[in-house]
Structures are given as structure tokens and as C-alpha cells.
Amino acid sequence: MVIDRPEPLLLEEAATGGRGGVTLAARQARLGWLLVLPTLLVLVGVALYPLVDTFLNSLTNARLGSSRAVRFVGLANYKDLFSDPVFLQAVGNTLYFTVVSVAAELVLGLLMALVIHSRFPARGLMRAAVLVPWAIPTVVSAQMWRWMYNDVFGVLNDLLMRVGLLDAPVAWTASPGLAMNAVIAVDVWKTTPFMALLLLAGLQVIAGDLYEAATVDGASRIRQFFSITLPLLRPAMLVALIFRTLDALRVFDVVFVMTAGASGTETVATYNRRILVEFQQLGYGSAISMVIFLIIFLFVLLYVRVLGVSEE
């Protein structure tokens, strides 16, 4: 049997696109751009355009519902921000909320993931049960906890007084020293299952052979945890940290429902809402929005560059 072999000239024409001068690689690159073009247009429409428009507004003295002429003020709004004590306090509250809540959710989420990853009766039921707090809408859970924290009819004070831990009711969400921690506790209660779910996915891809080999070598459970589980769980932990950190930096709903930013719980997002909606200062509020964007962008760079997410 004789096999027809393509002539070298034909192969060269296929690679170069014939005598037309368009190479195969060029046609593939053009096809690739055509395929991603709809996605790029959507990103420009829903992400880039609002960002550019917000930045342009931040350079003006625009007000919502005002008929006066909009005047270009340059960086004056940004200069005013860094001399605004309420804004600086809101930045501090936001960073405190982010660091404490994400750290607590990571530790508790890891413990929860280890428990529901082990084999025991009714494990499936347990996995479904731990997701209940996360499944409840944030506004609903925040309002529920607001009632539970109430110092007159709240169930939390009643329970703690019955067991002897409190002598008198405590105004959890009205005390400046307690309000932010009370809000953080609610966020940890609600979001820890999400952290556990991400870490559980990381635990399930660790091969069981590694633990069997370590057991044969005489490694204890604690040694296996620090030498096998934690190193191999690191990519999943980094993804979980990125998700929760970015979410915590723009926290709004749980704070707004529980305290409306009062009692020392004002965050950057709730302050931004107050400036835009109540005071209708579009230019100043846009500057706050840009600062929120820059803070989130810096945290993304921190995770990607320092923690080495790209190498994972």
C-alpha cells in the first residue's frame, strides 16, 4: 500500500496560510480574540466604565439632585478625606473588622473542616447542618442577632444571666466597647461555614496514601497534621483568605442592620453610603469609593506577591 505524503511545499503553505501571507498562528490568535471579545466588552461595561466614571466624579464637587454647575476640584476631595476624623476612624474600624473576623473564621473553619472530613455516623447530615448559617441571607441573620442582643428582651442576656455569667443585662450593640466585637461575632457565625466548605474541598484532594505511609513510619496525628495536612492545604487556605478578606473589607449589610454605623462600628462602606445617600455629596462619596477600591487592590497585591498565589 502506498501512502500519499504531503509535499513540503504544501506543509509550508498550510503553516503560512498560503500565498496570502496570513499564518496559521495569526489566524488562531485572531479567532482567540474574537472568542474573548464579548467577555471583554462585558468587563468594560460593568467594571471599567463605572470605575473610570467614579474616578472622574471624585475630582468634582458634584451633588445628587443639585442644579448648580459641577466644578472640577482636582484632588481636593482626597485631601479632605485624610483630614476627616470620621473617615479615618471608619478605615481603622474596617481593618480591625477584617483582621479579627478573617482570622477567627480561618481557625474555626479549619477545625470545622477537619471534623466534617473525618468519618463518623450521620456525616452527611452534619455537613448540611453546618451550612445553615451561611444559607440565611445576611440581612435576616443580622436582624435576628440584633433582637437576640437586645438588652431588654434579648435571649442572649437572659441566657447568660440564668447561668450566672452576667449580673445585669448588657447593651451589646449600644456600647462602643462591645458593639464592633458583637458585629464581628455575628459575621464569624455566619461566614465560618463558607470558609470550612473551601477548606474541606482542599482536604478532600489530599491522598490518603500519605497518611498511611506516615502512620507506618510512626508519625503521630499531630505530626501528620503539621507535616502533611497544613502544607498541602495551603492553596485552599490562600483562596479562602482572599475571598473572605475582600468580602470583609467592603462589609456593609451586617453593620448597617445591627448598628447603622453607630457605637463605634462605622466602616468605610457605611460611611460612604451616608455621604452619598443622606448628604448627597457625589464627588466626596466617589472619592471614598476610590479609596475602598485602592485598599482592596492593595490587599490583592499583598496576597498575590507576598503569599505567592500565582505559583500555586
Side-chain angles (χ1 to χ4, degrees):
M1 184 174 64
V2 178
I3 300 177
D4 295 333
R5 296 181 181 277
E7 296 295 334
L9 180 59
L10 296 178
L11 290 175
E12 182 180 355
E13 289 182 351
T16 59
R19 294 184 175 81
V22 180
T23 65
L24 178 61
R27 289 203 301 272
Q28 290 178 337
R30 186 172 58 187
L31 177 61
W33 279 108
L34 288 175
L35 292 176
V36 301
L37 183 60
T39 302
L40 291 177
L41 291 177
V42 171
L43 286 176
V44 169
V46 304
L48 184 60
Y49 173 74
L51 180 64
V52 173
D53 191 57
T54 302
F55 175 68
L56 294 177
N57 280 326
S58 71
L59 304 178
T60 69
N61 66 342
R63 297 181 67 93
L64 293 173
S66 175
S67 59
R68 73 175 184 181
V70 176
R71 185 167 55 86
F72 179 78
V73 297
L75 300 177
N77 287 326
Y78 294 94
K79 184 179 178 182
D80 293 341
L81 272 182
F82 292 100
S83 59
D84 183 347
V86 179
F87 172 75
L88 296 179
Q89 182 64 42
V91 172
N93 290 339
T94 303
L95 295 178
Y96 176 78
F97 177 91
T98 301
V99 172
V100 176
S101 64
V102 173
E105 289 161 13
L106 177 64
V107 175
L108 296 177
L110 179 58
L111 293 175
M112 188 180 296
L114 290 172
V115 170
I116 60 180
H117 181 60
S118 59
R119 296 184 182 279
F120 59 88
R123 184 176 64 167
L125 181 62
M126 176 64 77
R127 289 184 175 184
V130 298
L131 292 176
V132 171
W134 185 51
I136 300 175
T138 303
V139 173
V140 175
S141 60
Q143 183 61 46
M144 179 182 70
W145 275 96
R146 183 186 175 193
W147 288 334
M148 293 172 64
Y149 277 138
N150 190 280
D151 57 335
V152 178
F153 54 80
V155 67
L156 183 62
N157 278 317
D158 181 68
L159 179 63
L160 294 178
M161 290 176 66
R162 285 177 184 273
V163 298
L165 294 178
L166 286 181
D167 296 327
V170 174
W172 299 97
T173 57
S175 172
L178 296 174
M180 178 56 82
N181 292 322
V183 173
I184 290 175
V186 174
D187 187 75
V188 171
W189 171 82
K190 174 175 173 49
T191 319
T192 297
F194 174 72
M195 183 76 80
L197 196 63
L198 294 177
L199 298 178
L200 177 63
L203 287 173
Q204 290 180 332
V205 300
I206 300 177
D209 297 345
L210 296 174
Y211 294 103
E212 294 177 3
T215 303
V216 172
D217 291 339
S220 63
R221 291 285 188 182
I222 296 178
R223 178 68 182 276
Q224 292 178 22
F225 175 75
F226 285 103
S227 300
I228 299 176
T229 304
L230 274 186
L232 296 181
L233 195 58
R234 185 167 168 262
M237 292 173 65
L238 292 178
V239 172
L241 281 174
I242 289 175
F243 272 113
R244 281 303 306 137
T245 301
L246 301 187
D247 201 30
L249 284 172
R250 55 185 178 81
V251 60
F252 172 78
D253 40 12
V254 64
V255 176
F256 185 73
V257 172
M258 294 188 67
T259 65
S263 307
T265 61
E266 187 86 274
T267 64
V268 180
T270 58
Y271 185 56
N272 194 16
R273 175 258 172 201
R274 189 145 60 98
I275 293 296
L276 282 172
V277 177
E278 296 182 10
F279 302 149
Q280 300 192 342
Q281 297 177 350
L282 179 61
Y284 196 61
S286 298
I288 298 176
S289 300
M290 290 305 301
V291 172
I292 296 175
F293 170 77
L294 290 176
I295 293 175
I296 293 176
F297 183 71
L298 289 176
F299 268 85
V300 171
L301 286 181
L302 177 70
Y303 279 121
V304 172
R305 297 295 177 87
V306 177
L307 300 181
V309 174
S310 58
E311 286 80 6
E312 302 299 336

